[in-house]
Amino acid sequence: MREIRGLRERCKGNVPPLNKRIPVNTLSPSSFGAPKVSVFSGKASYDDANALRQQIEDAINALELSADFITPGDRVVIKPNWVKEHNASKPEDEGGWLTIITHPAVVREVARWAARKLQGHGSVTLCDAPQSDSSFATIRRLHRLDDLITDLTKEFPGIAFLLFDMRCEEWTIDDGVTIAKRELPSDPSGSVDIHLDADSEFLGHPGLGKLYGASFDFATTNRQHTDPHHEYRICRTPMNADVLINVPKLKTHKKVGLTVALKNLVGTTPRTNWLPRHTEGTPAEGGDQFAESTAKRALEGTLMRTAKKILFGRFFLSKLFVPLKKLGRVIFGDTKDVVRSGNWHGNNTAWRMILDLHKCFFYFDGRGVRRDKPLRYLTIVDGVIGGDGDGPMSCDPVASGVILAGTHPVAVDCVSAQLMGLNWKKTRLLNDAFAIQRLPITGFAPSDINVASNKPEWTGPFEQMKECFEFQCHFGWSGHLESDERLAKMGKKA
């Protein structure tokens, strides 16, 4: 029992909310990163380590980072996308992760680049909080992450290399129903609670009281987000980093359109239920759970909310509920064909949470105190094999062969959208990132974003990039998120 209590305490934010009473903003949004992004094209393969290393270094060098971006003694944290050990549409295929997880070859080269900059002094930590039902042990085995740590330690003596799972819990799920949970150690440094409160994008949100996070737990999600209090629990190691290197996968996402740099920071939180993903109900009811305001969807929503409240924490009953859910799929339709759970372009919830997380990182440190100097933040995107369609968990492969890099996640994501053949203005995650009034995170306009590339047709203002890809959207975004040119081909209005 003492060990379990210790795990629970480690998952708690154990720093006083000092940020609540510091009214002065000491940082300017212009210090959060430049609107320059690099996109380097290469082979759509991870087999040639030398070619991949050169491609990554070319992308980083094109940013012209200052000489002291990484200095000896720094704490460097690398945050890959390790969301799931297999593709949800084909769990039996051990290689199915290729389209959904940052490739280990990219992680290795990014870690080696950072270690060289440290010149024998400092630390490099690899960490993520995968989806709650993921097996981190399987991810470690498939990607040979322990061997990677061993190899790096031998190659760079004097540097401390760490690897850990930031989750507090791992869940066992049967057909979308949580039937068991077990405690995990999480971040060895603990976590910190950031009280955004009136600076949150959820302030005044009409969906308050009906927010949904995960695992049938309505109470926790809505307790953390009730005006005027809006709070996030974030692992302390990435918040305390001198340099945070975000290494996401280039792919589509059912709730926010695309998942690249911005969405990847969701994996820095130990308690997934603190993060609102959608608002319960149909649009007519003020929700974004469904795309249709029909009697059938309203009935489905009522039945599911009732079932979730009954089943929460009762794992034996949850096991009995699985056959009933299969029956419900016959009556109400399969999620592969029907929009539910906020999986569409009308989701007015998830983007707020993601932008709030970036406010936390840009303005606060691991003590919960306002930063007096900006976090050094670099994104390196694994787009060698991208993922489209039913993202982020059941992606189809896109042999795009690209590595992107940038020091501002909004700029990186705007360029990513353009490169994928998507209209950045049609996702609120990006469009509203430029409209934030409380704790703004962009110190530039979209027109300021420029691309450096080894391809002339991609060089220059990002909206003028030509010969881009045509990533297929999740069906809840199809006909909405595509570029104007693609919509015209589809016979739809822009």
Side-chain angles (χ1 to χ4, degrees):
M1 287 300 295
R2 182 176 300 172
E3 181 180 357
I4 293 297
R5 283 197 298 271
L7 291 177
R8 287 172 178 164
E9 287 301 313
R10 185 177 292 174
C11 293
K12 292 179 180 179
N14 48 9
V15 171
L18 299 177
N19 50 304
K20 276 186 149 182
R21 291 186 170 85
I22 301 180
V24 178
N25 173 25
T26 59
L27 294 177
S28 166
S30 62
S31 67
F32 295 154
K36 182 177 182 181
V37 179
S38 64
V39 183
F40 274 69
S41 179
K43 299 176 182 178
S45 168
Y46 301 95
D47 294 339
D48 189 335
N50 291 329
L52 181 62
R53 181 182 309 122
Q54 190 63 56
Q55 186 180 4
I56 291 172
E57 293 187 1
D58 286 346
I60 297 173
N61 291 337
L63 299 178
E64 299 177 322
L65 301 175
S66 63
D68 60 352
F69 187 81
I70 296 179
T71 59
D74 277 344
R75 296 164 297 182
V76 178
V77 175
I78 297 175
K79 198 292 182 187
N81 184 338
W82 284 332
V83 62
K84 186 72 174 174
E85 68 274 13
H86 59 68
N87 190 306
S89 63
K90 41 189 175 183
E92 71 288 345
D93 180 6
E94 276 208 340
W97 57 263
L98 186 65
T99 62
I100 64 171
I101 290 182
T102 309
H103 197 280
V106 174
V107 175
R108 175 183 290 271
E109 295 308 327
V110 172
R112 294 181 74 247
W113 173 81
R116 287 196 297 273
K117 297 294 183 181
L118 290 174
Q119 299 178 29
H121 304 283
S123 64
V124 176
T125 299
L126 308 179
C127 55
D128 189 19
Q131 184 165 287
S132 298
D133 64 334
S134 298
S135 169
F136 192 70
T138 302
I139 294 170
R140 291 176 79 144
R141 176 179 59 81
L142 288 174
H143 287 199
R144 299 181 62 192
L145 296 179
D146 295 294
D147 291 343
L148 171 60
I149 296 297
T150 299
D151 293 345
L152 290 171
T153 301
K154 290 179 180 178
E155 185 176 0
F156 299 99
I159 296 176
F161 291 93
L162 304 173
L163 167 71
F164 57 83
D165 178 357
M166 289 190 282
R167 295 175 300 173
C168 278
E169 295 177 328
E170 184 173 303
W171 303 348
T172 301
I173 291 182
D174 186 353
D175 198 18
V177 179
T178 304
I179 59 175
K181 294 182 181 181
R182 69 182 182 93
E183 295 276 349
L184 297 175
S186 189
D187 187 337
S189 298
S191 58
V192 59
D193 294 348
I194 305 296
H195 300 255
L196 285 184
D197 296 339
D199 293 322
S200 169
E201 291 303 295
F202 281 103
L203 186 73
H205 177 46
L208 297 181
K210 300 185 294 182
L211 302 176
Y212 183 73
S215 188
F216 304 169
D217 185 359
F218 291 96
T220 297
T221 311
N222 289 283
R223 183 176 63 245
Q224 303 312 131
H225 298 280
T226 300
D227 277 348
H229 304 295
H230 296 280
E231 184 179 18
Y232 292 89
R233 178 165 293 171
I234 304 176
C235 290
R236 185 170 288 128
T237 292
M239 290 288 285
N240 270 339
D242 297 305
V243 182
L244 177 63
I245 305 181
N246 188 352
V247 193
K249 191 75 166 176
L250 185 71
K251 57 183 181 176
T252 54
H253 195 282
K254 56 191 175 184
K255 285 182 171 58
V256 290
L258 73 163
T259 168
V260 196
L262 289 168
K263 175 64 176 62
N264 199 40
L265 283 201
V266 169
T268 60
T269 59
R271 293 287 186 191
T272 188
N273 280 322
W274 287 45
L275 305 179
R277 266 88 169 181
H278 72 258
T279 301
E280 293 282 287
T282 66
E285 297 169 324
D288 54 27
Q289 180 181 10
F290 304 102
E292 305 170 328
S293 294
T294 62
K296 184 176 183 179
R297 295 297 161 228
L299 174 62
E300 178 186 354
T302 299
L303 292 175
M304 286 304 299
R305 281 189 291 278
T306 302
K308 289 173 181 177
K309 290 176 180 178
I310 294 173
L311 297 174
F312 174 60
R314 298 179 174 92
F315 297 130
F316 177 73
L317 288 178
S318 296
K319 294 177 182 179
L320 298 179
F321 179 70
V322 173
L324 291 178
K325 186 173 182 181
K326 296 180 186 298
L327 176 62
R329 189 178 295 118
V330 174
I331 298 172
F332 294 108
D334 194 286
T335 303
K336 294 179 180 179
D337 307 306
V338 174
V339 171
R340 56 171 58 91
S341 302
N343 298 337
W344 66 303
H345 61 82
N347 187 314
N348 192 30
T349 307
W351 65 269
R352 299 173 186 272
M353 170 266 292
I354 295 168
L355 294 183
D356 270 3
L357 286 176
H358 276 76
K359 292 183 182 187
C360 294
F361 271 89
F362 283 174
Y363 285 96
F364 301 98
D365 64 18
R367 299 169 297 162
V369 176
R370 288 287 184 95
R371 295 184 184 274
D372 56 8
K373 57 183 179 181
L375 171 69
R376 283 169 272 160
Y377 186 146
L378 175 64
T379 296
I380 302 171
V381 183
D382 173 11
V384 176
I385 301 294
D388 71 357
D390 191 8
M393 302 301 298
S394 301
C395 295
D396 296 317
V398 180
S400 37
V402 296
I403 293 291
L404 297 87
T407 56
H408 199 290
V410 174
V412 169
D413 281 18
C414 284
V415 173
S416 297
Q418 182 76 10
L419 187 68
M420 297 164 79
L422 309 177
N423 186 341
W424 69 271
K425 297 176 183 177
K426 294 294 185 71
T427 171
R428 296 196 66 176
L429 177 63
L430 298 181
N431 190 67
D432 284 53
F434 293 99
I436 294 174
Q437 299 297 312
R438 302 174 299 274
L439 299 186
I441 64 172
T442 54
F444 53 86
S447 58
D448 296 326
I449 302 175
N450 277 280
V451 178
S453 178
N454 59 346
K455 295 186 68 172
E457 56 269 32
W458 292 349
T459 303
F462 89 101
E463 290 187 292
Q464 296 179 20
M465 294 173 70
K466 304 296 183 183
E467 298 183 24
C468 297
F469 303 102
E470 294 190 354
F471 278 58
Q472 301 304 305
C473 302
H474 179 272
F475 72 87
W477 291 77
S478 181
H480 172 83
L481 187 57
E482 293 88 351
S483 66
D484 292 349
E485 294 78 10
R486 291 179 64 189
L487 289 178
K489 290 180 185 178
M490 298 165 64
K492 299 187 178 184
K493 293 182 179 181

